Amino acid sequence: VPHFDKSVYSIKNILPLDEEITTLYLDRTLDTAKAMAGGLLVVAIIQGLVAGTILYILGTPYIFLITLLVSIFAFIPLLGTGMVTFPIALIYILTGQVWKGIVLAIFQLLVIGEIDGVLRANLIPKDVRMPLFISFIAIFGGLSLWGIWGLIYGPVIFILMLTTVEVLKKYYIPSLKEK
């Protein structure tokens, strides 16, 4: 990002908070944004490759195009990859290749779909992790407000809210710190 350090320096000078608190906010925000963007990309690529592998084994035509579509749709949480693989499974079933359709549907449910949850949990650093329920609210709330960019914006805004609660408890409401 051009002039990134200059922008961070400007933000630090504008905020009317102690340097320690400002640094905490900036670190959490940047860590969350980097983790979400990087994690989403890695998960999408891996899900696309795994789906491409099973589709290749099943003899699906246009394998590279479909693998690319799966990788793109993988950015949508939960059913993203299924939006590509389930219709293909249905086509297999409707054209009389029932075992291929069932294998693909089961593989989507048990393997491809689970990659997202397993990898995302391991790719996001511990200091920016949120409880699962809050993560879903952050991601889906972000998606509904900002579209695909909400996958990053939603969690960043939630981590800012959680950091604000932490800062209030630690620096501004000492009675809560003792409890």
Side-chain angles (χ1 to χ4, degrees):
V1 176
H3 310 293
F4 180 75
D5 293 334
K6 194 175 183 181
S7 299
V8 170
Y9 178 76
S10 296
I11 291 170
K12 282 185 176 184
N13 287 332
I14 291 171
L15 292 177
L17 302 169
D18 293 338
E19 187 173 337
E20 180 181 355
I21 296 171
T22 302
T23 302
L24 177 67
Y25 273 107
L26 287 173
D27 289 347
R28 293 262 176 95
T29 303
L30 294 175
D31 289 346
T32 302
K34 287 177 191 175
M36 293 305 293
L40 287 171
L41 184 62
V42 169
V43 168
I45 290 169
I46 292 173
Q47 282 184 308
L49 290 174
V50 170
T53 302
I54 189 66
L55 291 167
Y56 175 77
I57 291 169
L58 293 174
T60 307
Y62 308 108
I63 191 71
F64 294 113
L65 175 64
I66 295 171
T67 300
L68 179 64
L69 281 174
V70 170
S71 293
I72 292 169
F73 275 79
F75 284 97
I76 301 169
L78 297 177
L79 278 179
T81 56
M83 293 169 68
V84 178
T85 57
F86 285 135
I88 294 170
L90 183 63
I91 289 169
Y92 274 136
I93 292 169
L94 294 175
T95 58
Q97 300 175 11
V98 177
W99 72 271
K100 284 184 177 184
I102 291 172
V103 166
L104 182 57
I106 290 172
F107 197 80
Q108 167 62 41
L109 289 171
L110 298 178
V111 179
I112 301 169
E114 293 300 316
I115 290 172
D116 186 27
V118 172
L119 282 182
R120 193 178 305 230
N122 291 322
L123 289 172
I124 297 174
K126 288 186 178 169
D127 58 333
V128 296
R129 283 190 188 159
M130 295 176 269
L132 185 61
F133 180 70
I134 291 176
S135 294
F136 278 119
I137 291 172
I139 289 170
F140 287 113
L143 276 172
S144 68
L145 287 173
W146 297 291
I148 196 74
W149 287 104
L151 293 171
I152 296 171
Y153 294 158
V156 166
I157 289 173
F158 262 78
I159 204 71
L160 286 172
M161 290 184 346
L162 293 174
T163 303
T164 299
V165 170
E166 181 182 326
V167 165
L168 286 172
K169 285 167 63 173
K170 185 174 180 181
Y171 296 99
Y172 295 103
I173 308 174
S175 62
L176 290 178
K177 184 169 57 173
E178 296 169 2
K179 292 181 181 180

